[in-house]
Amino acid sequence: MARRPLPRILSSGTASITRGREIARTAADSATDVLHPLITVIRGLRLLAVAGRQNWVATPKERRGPKLFLVAACLLAAALVPFGPILALVTVMGAAAWKGRERTPVRTGPDESESARLRSLYEALVPYFSAADDPEPLFAHGGDWTKTFDGYAFDRDGRLTRLRISYPAYFTDGEAAARSRIEQLLHTKSGRGREYRFDWDEEANRLDVTVLDALPTTIAAQRFVTAPGETVLGFTDPDAVSRTVPVRDGDATADASPVLWRTGGRSTEPHLLAVGQPGGGTTTLVRSIALQALQGGDVIVIDGSGTGEYAAFTGRDGVLAVESGPGGALATLEWAAHETERRLITANRARQSGHPVPDDIRRPLWILLDRPGVLGHLAAADGRPDPQELLRVPLRHGRAAQVTVVVAEQFDAVDTLTETVLSHTRARAVLGPASCEQVAALLGAEPRTTPPAEVPPGRGYVRLGTGPVLRLQVPATPDPYDDATSDAHRQAVLDLLPGRHTPAEAEAAWTADEEGPITERTPVAVEAAPRQGDVLPVEAMTDGAGASGPLAKAQPAGAES
């Protein structure tokens, strides 16, 4: 059977039809562009008419008369006013154009890719939030994820930034192991490389997952707005604390959320222990605390590492000593123990006699000990006692004597810390890369956030006593004598350091009667070279007339100068 040929209009006119359709489409688009204002006004008039009708229907019958009279009065006034009708027409057209404008449609739910991500996360949680004998399970394979995910938010890349999960009441949310499994699963499925915070509401059976922003690392050392007895350890999340302080961040000024550590007679955590990995920022934290302590107190720095990290403090006003050798450290800590006892006795006598406590007793004394494990090893090799044993009196009675102890150590030497140091340092900080187990072992509680993918120097966690575990970013406080330090950070630290003793002052302080013994003179801190090699000698301390007693009497036999 022969095939019948197609009609001529279909066989030879395809190109003409296509060209005609393109011409018609172009003409329609051009007409739409030309008539777009008219279409917008007509759409607006229609919407205004619908809104007016709905308003009229919603008006009670007893109020329709006064409303109609008001409308008629407005129309009469517009008709009587010169150019009133034209102004009224322009007003109505303007309102119609505004009402009929094209608006961006508001999203009322997730798109296809976001729904697929939520569905996948729901299916992954089924084995953990379901039970075989549950008659109406919230989590079941192939179930409805909208019943369990109450709220969610996505970023521009389509990744989750906030999620609220409703889980069944029989889930063991009181067990740390069960919560850890859920947190690890959500961290893996929601995207690595970000920090997540998990807020468990056991009473309402809800879990809030939030992606945290990175803490600022550009805030350098500076004068912080704090009350007496407050020290800024670093900065944390805005919703973690209820206070902000103004800070300089580069050339701009912003409000940051500080982690404030309160010391003094009414402090519940009078001493601090900072532990971290090499390069984690423990020395930076100690240096930042020293700069703040020098604003109204005296500082003793003991550098166990002996790398010259605190050379910039040598010979400064308020810095009583900078020691790095075991002999000098032992003599300095022994003097600090005697100074603590002297402060206690003097304060007790003043209170018993009804007199105010002397000013030198109220002046804070800070003992900053970095890497005590190294000093303990060197002291043991020389047959000397561990310097940490001399911290027993300042740690136990330092709060009443205005003496604060800060100890910094690395993870590999935590076992060298004595029981006295561990039991009296209730303010703890963990800096640098650390697992959740290490953080929990030192702080006494696990953090509510996942470990960061990249840990900058000075980044970690802090816990003050029995408070919550907070994220922490220490202000950038590098060694100003380090060649790798930027000029801005170097200048920021140098601006905070107090002035050095002039040679004239040092010579006058060492001048005394030639007939008197050397121990009766008035020694002060002398000028030192800007490197750690020329450390402040132990004898170069203030006399009993100042904030500290005669150090020469506290030196053991054979102590290093």
Side-chain angles (χ1 to χ4, degrees):
M1 185 178 195
R3 296 180 58 184
R4 297 180 59 183
L6 293 173
R8 184 175 182 180
I9 189 174
L10 298 179
S11 60
S12 62
T14 305
S16 302
I17 294 176
T18 304
R19 190 181 305 107
R21 290 177 178 175
E22 293 178 355
I23 294 173
R25 188 179 297 108
T26 303
D29 295 339
S30 301
T32 303
D33 295 338
V34 173
L35 299 177
H36 183 268
L38 181 60
I39 296 174
T40 301
V41 172
I42 293 175
R43 186 190 304 118
L45 291 174
R46 180 178 60 83
L47 294 176
L48 290 176
V50 171
R53 183 178 182 280
Q54 292 177 353
N55 191 6
W56 179 261
V57 172
T59 303
K61 294 183 178 181
E62 62 273 10
R63 295 184 180 179
R64 291 182 178 179
K67 180 177 291 190
L68 186 60
F69 176 77
L70 179 62
V71 173
C74 292
L75 293 176
L76 181 60
L80 296 178
V81 173
F83 304 102
I86 297 177
L87 293 177
L89 180 61
V90 172
T91 303
V92 172
M93 292 297 103
W98 176 258
K99 190 72 174 179
R101 72 188 188 282
E102 294 182 355
R103 300 181 179 88
T104 303
V106 180
R107 290 183 54 184
T108 58
D111 56 20
E112 185 177 353
S113 62
E114 295 173 351
S115 299
R117 187 180 292 270
L118 292 173
R119 190 179 304 107
S120 174
L121 187 60
Y122 172 84
E123 293 291 337
L125 292 172
V126 169
Y128 302 94
F129 287 149
S130 62
D133 54 351
D134 190 355
E136 297 181 358
L138 286 175
F139 288 83
H141 291 292
D144 187 7
W145 57 266
T146 58
K147 296 181 180 179
T148 57
F149 296 159
D150 299 339
Y152 44 83
F154 293 86
D155 58 10
R156 296 181 178 179
D157 298 332
R159 296 197 301 174
L160 276 170
T161 58
R162 180 179 55 84
L163 179 64
R164 170 172 289 184
I165 303 174
S166 298
Y167 55 87
Y170 53 76
F171 176 72
T172 57
D173 51 5
E175 299 179 2
R179 293 198 305 267
S180 179
R181 288 194 297 267
I182 300 299
E183 293 175 1
Q184 183 179 4
L185 174 64
L186 293 173
H187 181 203
T188 304
K189 293 294 184 180
S190 300
R192 298 182 182 273
R194 300 183 296 176
E195 289 188 71
Y196 294 86
R197 184 177 63 194
F198 302 96
D199 296 323
W200 292 84
D201 188 356
E202 293 87 352
E203 185 177 359
N205 299 321
R206 289 180 179 177
L207 170 60
D208 290 331
V209 184
T210 308
V211 177
L212 300 176
D213 297 330
L215 295 177
T217 59
T218 56
I219 300 177
Q222 55 191 279
R223 298 293 185 192
F224 299 111
V225 181
T226 57
E230 293 182 344
T231 302
V232 175
L233 299 180
F235 301 95
T236 185
D237 300 307
D239 56 349
V241 293
S242 59
R243 179 176 170 181
T244 60
V245 294
V247 296
R248 294 192 310 272
D249 190 354
D251 297 334
T253 302
D255 291 335
S257 302
V259 179
L260 294 177
W261 175 38
R262 294 175 175 85
T263 57
R266 298 184 179 181
S267 173
T268 57
E269 302 85 21
H271 309 295
L272 174 70
L273 172 62
V275 181
Q277 299 288 356
T282 54
T283 302
T284 299
L285 176 60
V286 175
R287 194 182 294 110
S288 175
I289 293 175
L291 291 177
Q292 298 180 62
L294 286 174
Q295 298 181 22
D298 298 324
V299 174
I300 295 175
V301 181
I302 299 176
D303 183 13
S305 61
T307 57
E309 293 287 344
Y310 303 95
F313 292 88
T314 305
R316 301 284 182 175
D317 294 335
V319 180
L320 303 183
V322 178
E323 294 292 337
S324 59
L330 286 171
T332 303
L333 292 178
E334 187 174 351
W335 172 87
H338 286 285
E339 173 66 11
T340 304
E341 295 174 350
R342 184 189 72 84
R343 288 176 174 231
L344 291 174
I345 295 173
T346 305
N348 186 30
R349 290 176 179 175
R351 294 189 182 96
Q352 288 181 356
S353 60
H355 298 298
V357 179
D359 294 338
D360 64 325
I361 305 300
R362 293 199 301 265
R363 183 175 175 84
L365 174 62
W366 293 74
I367 304 174
L368 309 180
L369 181 57
D370 194 357
R371 300 298 304 278
V374 178
L375 289 176
H377 179 75
L378 296 176
D382 293 341
R384 297 175 178 179
D386 191 347
Q388 297 183 58
E389 297 297 332
L390 298 175
L391 291 175
R392 188 183 304 273
V393 175
L395 286 172
R396 289 184 175 179
H397 308 288
R399 178 172 57 182
Q402 298 294 325
V403 178
T404 303
V405 180
V406 177
V407 180
E409 190 53 273
Q410 295 183 2
F411 274 109
D412 55 0
V414 172
D415 54 349
T416 63
L417 297 176
T418 61
E419 184 64 26
T420 303
V421 173
L422 293 176
S423 59
H424 288 85
T425 52
R426 302 187 63 234
R428 302 283 182 88
V430 177
L431 302 178
S435 61
C436 294
E437 292 76 12
Q438 290 177 319
V439 175
L442 288 170
L443 302 186
E446 291 187 357
R448 297 186 301 171
T449 61
T450 57
E454 297 181 0
V455 183
R459 174 68 172 83
Y461 299 94
V462 64
R463 189 186 188 195
L464 303 179
T466 58
V469 179
L470 305 177
R471 296 200 303 166
L472 178 68
Q473 179 61 54
V474 179
T477 316
D479 181 11
Y481 296 155
D482 189 359
D483 296 337
T485 303
S486 64
D487 294 337
H489 290 171
R490 178 185 294 108
Q491 191 61 39
V493 175
L494 292 177
D495 292 342
L496 296 178
L497 285 171
R500 294 183 183 273
H501 300 293
T502 61
E505 292 177 352
E507 184 178 357
W510 281 97
T511 303
D513 294 336
E514 296 180 358
E515 298 178 357
I518 191 172
T519 55
E520 298 299 329
R521 300 177 184 178
T522 307
V524 297
V526 297
E527 180 70 11
R531 300 308 305 172
Q532 188 68 18
D534 297 331
V535 297
L536 180 65
V538 177
E539 293 86 1
M541 309 283 280
T542 55
D543 194 13
S548 55
L551 185 59
K553 299 180 180 179
Q555 293 182 2
E560 294 182 0
S561 60

